[in-house]
Each structure stands twice: as C-alpha cells, then as structure tokens.
Amino acid sequence: MKQGASSRKVNQQAREVIANILLFEISDPRLALVTITGCEVSFDRSYCNVYYAAERGTYEDVAAAFAAASGRIRSLAARELSWRVAPELRFMLDATVDEAERIGRALNREQRHFEEIESPEGE
C-alpha cells in the first residue's frame, strides 16, 4: 500500500509542475486553455504520460504545440522535480471530458423522452 501512495504523490507532483510550466513558462497561445488532468510516471521515472483536456476542435493544434514545446517542458520539469532522470514526456488527450459530455447529452435526451411518455400531448 505504501508504494501506491508514493506513486500517487509522484504523479501529483509531476502534474502540478507541468501545469505550472504551461501556465507561467510557455507562451504558445495554442496551450493557453489546456488543462493537465493527470500524469502517470513510470516506476523508474523515465517516462511520464501527461493527460490533458482541450477544447473540441483544437486537438490537432494542441498536439502540435505540445510536440513543439515538449523539449522545453521536459527541461523545465527536470529542473523543478530534481529527479535522477528527466522523464520523457508523452502528451495524451484525456478523452474522459468528451465522454462525460456525450453521456450527459444522452441522459438529457432520455430524460426528455421519458417526460414525453409520462405526459402525453393534450393533457
């Protein structure tokens, strides 16, 4: 159990550092409205999957911006984290936000459908 808590702490630390770097150090406007939703750091800290959310329709621009800035973000993160190695950053779109919106729309449609069934027209 102690390993799990340590892993969560490392993941949270990486998320906070990368989010701050995006907020204060990177000036690319394509990354201005990006939210870092989580990080998964490998056991040996050589890799870090960075999950982000962005506005629909900007996914390709955001991915290109991360590709262009990944070296600088990695360098700044390595300095801030002070780990033995600088993890290779892999930026991945967090689809859970889009999925939650899709589920919400489906539930709203079903709710309207049931309301129509319960109160037929003309009453």
Side-chain angles (χ1 to χ4, degrees):
M1 177 143 176
K2 187 172 183 172
Q3 176 60 36
S6 174
S7 177
R8 279 192 301 277
K9 184 177 177 182
V10 167
N11 291 341
Q12 182 64 19
Q13 181 184 20
R15 190 196 69 74
E16 289 173 4
V17 165
I18 293 170
N20 282 332
I21 288 170
L22 287 183
L23 192 59
F24 299 113
E25 304 287 339
I26 304 298
S27 60
D28 191 325
R30 298 173 294 181
L31 298 175
L33 297 176
V34 170
T35 301
I36 302 300
T37 59
C39 288
E40 288 180 353
V41 180
S42 65
F43 179 73
D44 63 359
R45 298 185 184 182
S46 61
Y47 290 95
C48 178
N49 292 335
V50 181
Y51 297 93
Y52 65 90
E55 289 185 34
R56 189 172 302 161
T58 64
Y59 297 155
E60 288 182 18
D61 287 342
V62 169
F66 273 128
S70 65
R72 177 148 169 75
I73 296 169
R74 181 182 186 192
S75 174
L76 292 168
R79 187 177 317 138
E80 184 71 25
L81 292 167
S82 302
W83 293 346
R84 187 177 55 79
V85 295
E88 179 182 325
L89 303 177
R90 299 185 286 202
F91 294 96
M92 302 179 176
L93 178 65
D94 185 346
T96 57
V97 174
D98 288 341
E99 187 66 13
E101 287 177 7
R102 186 189 68 73
I103 291 169
R105 285 191 305 271
L107 289 172
N108 286 338
R109 277 193 307 272
E110 288 300 311
Q111 179 66 30
R112 287 191 305 272
H113 175 73
F114 285 122
E115 287 171 358
E116 290 171 4
I117 292 173
E118 290 176 356
S119 59
E121 291 181 34
E123 284 187 23

